[in-house]
Amino acid sequence: MEYQPLDTSRNEIRVLVLQDPSETSSKSGLIECTIEHVSLYEYSDQYRTFLQLDGFDKSFRFQSKIWEFITTYKADVEKYPGDPSKFLDSGTKNFSHNPVYRDGSFTSATVYSWGRLYALSYEWGDPTVTANIMVSGHRMAVTKNLHDALQDLLPRWHRDTEETASARLWVDALCINQQDVQERNTQLQLMEQIYSTATSVLTRLGPRLELGHDDETCELLMEVHSLYTVSAAKGLTALKKPEYKDAWAGVCELAKRSYWRRLWIIQEIFLANTRTEFYFGDQFSNLSALLIAMVLLQSNLAEFESVYPPEMEDVFESALKNIQPFIVILSSNDPPYYDILPYLNAGRQAKQSDIRDKIYGLLGLMDSQIRAHITPDYLQSADLAYRNFAIAFIKSTGKLSVVYQTSFKGGGALQLPSWVPDWTSSDDGGEIFYSEMYYKAAGASASGGSSHKFAEVENPDHLLCRGFKVDSIASLACSEVFNHDDHDTVDTRTRGADKPVYNGRNGVKEAMWDVFSYGISKKAQPEALAYLLDMPYFDGRGKAKLIFDRLDQFQQCNQDLVVDGERLSTYFSQWSDRFENILDDPAVFQILSLCMLPLLARRFIVTRTGFVGMAPLLAKTGDEVFILKGSNVPLLLRPNGDNTYRLVGDCYISGFMDGEAMNGLETGEYQEADIILS
């Protein structure tokens, strides 16, 4: 089939009109559809009026969430299946109190004058396994997955003929000429508007459940959706009924499907509204309910495992592992609606046919200021695409948070400057994502809220920064908690401070727990902090509980490491039976849980002047600690010997996280200079 060109001046896209099989005169027996061109500028009268209210100059997804809220839920917070405050900024949080939204002026949820837009989200599948459909009278081969997705959708699509008459479906494989690179580049920039303004994103997870229980699974999800509104803490007991075993197994089977490993669905799901449906076979349910169910399972796993038979433990955990990138975003206290970095990190494990899609496939989720610096170009190398994104982020935000998104495990496909993240490298345990969450929770502001001023330099692989050196690494703990093999290579000597940097032994202990927990301990209740400061040296007794085992191994591996002139083991109390029930205190349990990831994914360090911290696993003695403008955290740099530095990564150092070092600039202790990263 020959595609007709799109009019880019009208923001045109192609859409499909699906034919009702019972009404078609064709004898082919194939799925039939026709292609139309429509303009994304052609808004309905009501939507155009809505856009003129309150000076809406927000992103499409912001506008569409408000539009959904006032047309579907009539600006009633109690009916909205989520917390509107999560996506509303302080300037428009009270929009629902505006009487214009409650006077019945907006009676239709339709955004476009030409009809309702629906978008299909599905797994492309093997491109060599195809089936034929009819498109505008032409026989066309599509992937078997797309054929089956349309086949399963048709009965539901034509059930309500009144709504179907104005319904149009957008499918990437058919509505974009995949052979036209320039068209692909242009259409990519419309993804935010397409998925945000769609009446629903129809998400196909595959065929019906292998184990059956389709109806029970959908009934459970209906209950999840009805119980979990704004106050998402009620109703958990009702969802843990023993008779729901098969239904939960069904939910987990859906969560384990390969659909969730596609990169493009990150954008498709997080741009969609709360009405978005998913389907498997001919069964339909609410997508938000499925995601909420998995978040509930993750947050209350022990409780669920106590209700259901032992064999369900593997079912739960394998499903959670598969859908983990979505869980970590949804579980955040402050979902990153305007921060692209968590989405990029979630996409590290995702699959795509072109590694440039690690950037281009998430354009719709990027802030418009970042996107303004990025022009999708599939003729451009992946190396250049990744570097251009890093520059776009730094230019538009004035922040360096993108530069320390480097995976500690390496293994990326590209050879890039140290300050450009390789999004193809692994973050299997979510270490980068969670570290970023820790920094935000701690309110880290090492450079005092300063901004980076981007400047072009002659070598495009260099990044010119302003900052100053504050310290360097003198001692390193074992590189892995459960691997003592490198213990002999750990430098345990104190080379340091002319005077103590912490206030006595208790100050050192507080600093150690500060870095173990990435700042969480500083916000702990006094009783919980007292427990931590009195934590015992386990000497092998921690094996009974995983949460203690990691700390126990850390203690044993690094017992001879010198901190402020004393062996690390001396900073822990002697064991006694009173510690057996220490986890009964929820506050202590929470902090110890949060400490586990840094202990596994980071390396405990002591600096030359006596500060303690956590650094990347690849850190070495002699690596230098810098405060750079625009970075909320200290950065670890390694001199190249030519007045440039290689970025090793970010680090948490107790005593430098809240802008303390900035005072040294005023007193002359530190001297600001140009720092070149290569």
Side-chain angles (χ1 to χ4, degrees), residues 28-42:
S28 69
L30 302 177
I31 297 170
E32 295 193 27
C33 60
T34 56
I35 285 182
E36 293 181 350
H37 289 203
V38 296
S39 170
L40 293 181
Y41 288 153
E42 294 179 357

Side-chain angles (χ1 to χ4, degrees), residues 43 110 119 144 160 233 281 288 319 342 351 372 374 386 449 471:
Y43 297 125
T110 302
K144 182 67 163 52
D160 185 348
S288 294
K351 295 181 179 180
I374 300 174
Y386 284 30
D471 218 327

Side-chain angles (χ1 to χ4, degrees), residues 36 122 185 213 260 273 275 448 475 546 582 611:
E36 293 181 350
Y122 66 104
N185 293 342
H213 311 295
W260 300 103
N273 59 43
R275 297 190 303 271
S475 303
L546 178 61
I582 193 172
F611 288 94

Side-chain angles (χ1 to χ4, degrees), residues 539-668:
D539 197 20
R541 297 180 182 87
K543 294 182 179 179
K545 296 181 182 294
L546 178 61
I547 197 169
F548 283 153
D549 191 23
R550 293 173 183 174
L551 181 58
D552 187 357
Q553 292 283 340
F554 172 80
Q555 291 173 339
Q556 293 183 62
C557 181
N558 300 291
Q559 57 183 310
D560 295 326
L561 186 72
V562 176
V563 181
D564 197 33
E566 298 187 38
R567 295 170 68 236
L568 182 139
S569 58
T570 66
Y571 288 100
F572 296 93
S573 302
Q574 288 189 336
W575 176 265
S576 73
D577 292 342
R578 64 191 175 90
F579 292 114
E580 290 287 354
N581 300 318
I582 193 172
L583 292 184
D584 290 346
D585 187 319
V588 175
F589 180 84
Q590 181 185 31
I591 294 175
L592 285 174
S593 299
L594 291 170
C595 290
M596 293 308 101
L597 187 64
L599 285 174
L600 278 175
R602 293 295 178 110
R603 202 167 182 180
F604 184 76
I605 64 171
V606 183
T607 71
R608 288 182 179 272
T609 55
F611 288 94
V612 296
M614 285 289 191
L617 295 177
L618 299 179
K620 296 180 179 179
T621 55
D623 286 344
E624 300 176 355
V625 181
F626 277 78
I627 304 295
L628 299 185
K629 284 191 171 182
S631 176
N632 289 331
V633 299
L635 296 178
L636 201 61
L637 308 184
R638 187 171 297 160
N640 288 323
D642 59 356
N643 295 321
T644 66
Y645 294 85
R646 178 171 181 78
L647 174 69
V648 180
D650 56 294
C651 47
Y652 188 105
I653 299 180
S654 186
F656 287 136
M657 302 307 298
D658 298 322
E660 298 93 335
M662 300 302 289
N663 297 328
L665 284 179
E666 299 178 7
T667 63

